[in-house]
Amino acid sequence: MSQNNVPDFAELLRAARRTAVHLEMRDSYAVGDEADSFHRFKRAGEADLDPDSAFWQGWTPIVRETVGRGVVMRRARIVSEPVTDYIRYEHALTPVNIALGEQVRWLPRREASDIALPGNDFWLIDDRLVQFNFFTGDGDWASPGYLCSENTAVVELCSSAFEAVWERGVDHEKYAI
């Protein structure tokens, strides 16, 4: 694995030609750019579902561009049940991901026990490059926050894990919280 020359996330997605898949395995994230939105959700139950709002400005253009090139974007989330407030928040926001062209599935953690999973969330681009995302115990970005690998064994592990989770996962529209 290499930390050198790690592309920024927009570059990573721009390099995708066929697929970009994302596996999320934490029950809570606490990244700074979501803090106000998450607190508003916990306080008032409000989720920003306007893909053109300031909240989504860092995500909407790159997803539209990526999907517009014909890249299939899939996101799978392994979650504990009952779910945390953060997972409720993610679930409430997910209609925007879907409207932008992502496919999203949810897998209860108890159904993932026999799947060999990597130790960290990741993005897998075109079954050739893995970018692991690192978080602190509290859920904020760790430093460094990313690590990329093109190692065949690592790519195969992540691809196999994602596909197993995806196969068992429940489409967002059918996953009730």
Side-chain angles (χ1 to χ4, degrees), residues 21-160:
V21 302
H22 184 37
L23 183 61
E24 297 176 20
M25 298 181 284
R26 294 180 58 96
D27 287 319
S28 184
Y29 297 85
V31 293
D33 59 343
E34 293 179 345
D36 290 341
S37 175
F38 180 49
H39 291 301
R40 186 172 39 259
F41 177 79
K42 285 192 341 183
R43 196 174 53 255
E46 296 173 8
D48 184 346
L49 298 179
D50 177 2
D52 297 314
S53 72
F55 175 74
W56 289 98
Q57 70 184 345
W59 188 243
T60 297
I62 189 65
V63 174
R64 285 180 174 152
E65 176 188 321
T66 302
V67 172
R69 289 193 323 272
V71 174
V72 175
M73 290 185 69
R74 296 183 294 159
R75 178 185 303 257
R77 294 175 171 141
I78 299 173
V79 296
S80 298
E81 293 179 323
V83 300
T84 63
D85 286 342
Y86 187 86
I87 295 301
R88 287 182 202 289
Y89 167 70
E90 274 193 326
H91 192 270
L93 290 172
T94 298
V96 174
N97 298 87
I98 292 168
L100 294 174
E102 286 187 69
Q103 301 168 40
V104 180
R105 290 189 180 172
W106 302 82
L107 182 66
R109 191 171 308 283
R110 70 179 175 277
E111 295 179 27
S113 296
D114 61 344
I115 299 173
L117 297 167
N120 295 287
D121 292 7
F122 64 84
W123 279 91
L124 175 60
I125 306 299
D126 292 332
D127 284 323
R128 65 170 180 76
L129 173 71
V130 176
Q131 178 179 289
F132 290 104
N133 300 334
F134 301 126
F135 299 92
T136 65
D138 292 335
D140 201 354
W141 289 109
S143 181
Y146 308 98
L147 193 64
C148 289
S149 176
E150 292 181 295
N151 177 290
T152 303
V154 173
V155 167
E156 287 175 4
L157 168 66
C158 292
S159 179
S160 173

